[in-house]
């Protein structure tokens, strides 16, 4: 197209100068921070250890996947309820034992995938199922982004609408949108620039509390929590890994869509990396790991896919969470309205990646079969995620993303295909 400007892209295997890579790593670190500390906040675990273990887990993941899959691992939301139950009744140590067991389940599934191959993915997870699930991953988080933007307190806010917080969120969002349209390398830092400008705006509105930053020491050591292996705790927590694995597969497919690669053949390594990260976290008192949608959103907006950047992000998280309380307090002082504005952009981009998968050669909306699969998955998933509804299953619960994925798989297998009509799933 005449006059069109080609966007700057850094590929998975590309390398950039260390100072630039460090800034890009900080951008990923800040994007995952809110979600990673939320899990320990709700379960009584250590936020510092969660941050540190997210860094360690990301580095382990990169090692296992040989630096081929750009992903950041943060705290998994799927385990919140069982961890909170075990921590309240038997202590954090018992919960950590359950997290270790969950990591073992992860690694067991990784071994099974390695044994049987990945041919089943195209049958059970074709585009007509995957695309709406990807949309659910993005739009299902939209209520969190809106809540943080308008109520300036996110999950722990009990107040009403905060006009100053909404203004700050809009400023953060506007800066991200404007910066992403700039030429050259400026477009690689929209999230970081948006957070910095939003933070300055929040300071001007009096929304930042510097007291914890001033009081925090520069250097400190992590207070590790070692696991105790109680059968009841392990039985309660470990099976949740199966729900997290569904989420993991969905994220891996999104990453492949974003960077333009097919990672099906690396699924076993990807699951193994996540399982190792979860096991190590449980051994020292950290939260269980999962790949993060926020960081996928960062890649979508920046078009920087280099795994080099994630090494820096992991190292920064390890240092900040484990050994520098001052920096941790500074990052923690970023108001939720700033991250809300950032999330409005990032979560929307995840959803649009799912929409881009709904191409006529993959999904035929003139075919009632494909139409009903996509419609059912979208309504169930987005409805459950935005309303905060889960399906109780004994001592467990199935979140909206897992429920809609299961529904999509069942409908895809059960509904008859039209004779000679509709797209066929091309082997990649």
């Amino acid at each position: 197209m005449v006059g069109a400007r080609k966007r700057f892209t850094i590929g998975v295997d590309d390398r950039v100068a260390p100072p630039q890579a460090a800034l890009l790593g900080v951008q990923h670190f800040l994007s995952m921070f809110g979600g990673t500390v939320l899990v320990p906040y709700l379960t009584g675990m250590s936020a510092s250890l969660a941050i540190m273990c997210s860094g360690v887990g990301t580095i382990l993941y990169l090692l296992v996947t040989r630096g081929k899959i750009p992903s950041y691992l943060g705290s998994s939301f799927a385990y919140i309820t069982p961890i909170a139950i075990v921590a309240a009744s038997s202590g954090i140590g018992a919960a950590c034992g359950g997290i270790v067991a969950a990591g073992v389940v992860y690694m067991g599934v990784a071994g099974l995938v390695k044994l049987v191959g990945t041919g089943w993915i195209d049958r059970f997870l074709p585009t007509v199922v995957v695309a709406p699930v990807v949309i659910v991953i993005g739009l299902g988080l939209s209520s969190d982004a809106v809540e943080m933007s308008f109520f300036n307190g996110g999950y722990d806010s009990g107040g009403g609408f905060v006009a100053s917080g909404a203004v700050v969120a809009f400023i953060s969002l506007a800066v991200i949108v404007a910066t992403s349209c700039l030429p050259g390398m400026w477009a690689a830092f929209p999230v970081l620039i948006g957070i910095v400008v939003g933070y300055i705006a929040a300071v001007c509105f009096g929304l930042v509390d510097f007291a914890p930053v001033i009081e925090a020491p520069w250097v400190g050591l992590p207070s590790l929590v070692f696991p105790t292996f109680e059968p009841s705790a392990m039985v309660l927590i470990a099976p949740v890994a199966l729900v997290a694995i569904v989420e993991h597969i969905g994220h891996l497919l999104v990453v492949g869509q974003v960077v333009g690669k097919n990672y099906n053949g690396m699924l076993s390594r990807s699951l193994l990396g996540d399982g190792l990260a979860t096991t190590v976290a449980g051994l020292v008192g950290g939260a269980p790991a999962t790949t993060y949608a926020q960081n996928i959103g960062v890649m979508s907006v920046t078009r920087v896919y280099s795994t080099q950047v994630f090494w820096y992000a992991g190292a920064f998280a390890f240092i900040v969470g484990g050994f520098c309380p001052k920096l941790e307090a500074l990052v923690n002082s970023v108001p939720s309205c700033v991250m809300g504005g950032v999330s409005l952009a990032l979560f929307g981009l995840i959803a649009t990646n799912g929409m881009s998968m709904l191409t006529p050669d993959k999904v035929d909306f003139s075919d009632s079969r494909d139409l009903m699969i996509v419609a059912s998955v979208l309504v169930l998933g987005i409805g459950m995620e935005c309303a905060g509804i889960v399906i109780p299953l004994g001592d467990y619960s199935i979140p909206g993303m897992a429920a809609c994925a299961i529904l999509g798989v069942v409908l895809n297998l059960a509904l008859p295909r039209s004779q000679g009509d509709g797209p066929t799933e091309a082997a990649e």
Side-chain angles (χ1 to χ4, degrees), residues 48-336:
S48 296
L49 288 177
I51 297 168
M52 183 185 76
C53 288
S54 76
V56 173
T58 298
I59 292 172
L60 282 172
Y61 181 85
L62 292 171
L63 288 171
V64 172
T65 58
R66 299 176 179 175
K68 298 296 184 181
I69 306 177
S71 290
Y72 191 95
L73 272 63
S75 303
S76 174
F77 287 64
Y79 298 84
I80 289 177
T81 299
I83 289 177
I85 292 173
V86 171
S89 61
S90 304
I92 297 297
C96 289
I99 293 171
V100 172
V104 173
V105 171
Y106 240 111
M107 291 185 283
V109 173
L112 182 62
V113 170
K114 179 69 173 177
L115 183 66
V116 303
T118 57
W120 54 272
I121 293 179
D122 288 335
R123 174 168 173 74
F124 289 93
L125 295 170
T127 302
V128 71
V129 174
V130 172
V133 170
V134 172
I135 296 172
V136 168
I137 292 174
L139 296 186
L141 296 167
S142 61
S143 60
D144 296 335
V146 171
E147 185 177 8
M148 289 189 292
S149 298
F150 292 163
F151 297 93
N152 192 33
Y155 305 91
D156 59 342
S157 173
F161 178 83
V162 180
S164 57
V167 171
V168 169
F170 176 77
I171 291 172
S172 302
L173 174 62
V175 170
I176 290 174
V177 173
T179 308
S180 65
C181 296
L182 293 177
M185 282 303 301
W186 283 105
F189 297 98
V191 176
L192 181 59
I193 296 173
I195 291 174
V196 171
V197 174
Y199 187 83
I200 294 172
V203 171
C204 295
F205 278 101
L207 299 175
V208 179
D209 181 10
F210 287 107
V213 182
I214 296 172
E215 295 170 1
W218 278 102
V219 179
L221 293 175
S223 300
L224 304 181
V225 179
F226 299 106
T228 57
F229 297 98
E230 299 184 12
S232 58
M234 290 189 288
V235 169
L236 184 62
I237 295 175
V240 182
L242 299 176
V243 175
I245 286 169
V246 174
E247 179 184 47
H248 181 104
I249 295 173
H251 285 175
L252 186 64
L253 293 170
V254 180
V255 171
Q257 171 71 15
V258 169
V259 307
K261 291 180 178 288
N262 187 338
Y263 286 121
N264 286 0
M266 295 194 69
L267 177 59
S268 62
R269 282 187 172 273
S270 186
L271 290 172
L272 177 60
D274 204 337
L276 282 173
T278 296
T279 300
V280 170
L283 290 173
V284 298
T290 188
T291 48
Y292 252 33
Q294 291 91 324
N295 298 90
I296 300 173
V298 172
M299 288 193 291
S300 295
V301 71
T302 63
R303 297 181 68 86
V304 177
Y305 313 136
S306 174
T307 53
Q308 175 197 14
V309 171
F310 290 91
W311 289 98
Y312 283 87
F316 195 72
F318 175 69
I319 294 171
V320 170
F323 306 100
C324 190
K326 179 77 73 176
L327 282 177
E328 180 193 357
L330 178 64
V331 174
N332 205 29
S333 70
V334 178
S336 62

Side-chain angles (χ1 to χ4, degrees), residues 351-393:
T352 55
N353 280 315
M355 295 174 189
S356 69
M357 299 169 69
L358 297 173
T359 55
D361 62 320
K362 294 288 188 179
V363 179
D364 182 8
F365 284 117
S366 66
D367 184 348
S368 59
R369 177 185 185 277
D370 285 4
L371 183 64
M372 293 310 300
I373 292 174
V374 173
S376 301
V377 170
L378 287 176
V379 172
L380 178 66
I382 295 174
M384 288 183 64
E385 289 289 337
C386 290
I389 296 173
V390 297
I391 299 175
L393 190 65

Side-chain angles (χ1 to χ4, degrees), residues 11-33:
V12 173
D13 299 317
D14 292 342
R15 295 292 179 265
V16 297
Q20 180 183 342
L23 285 175
L24 291 167
V26 170
Q27 183 170 242
H28 275 287
F29 168 80
L30 292 174
S31 299
M32 69 83 198
F33 187 87

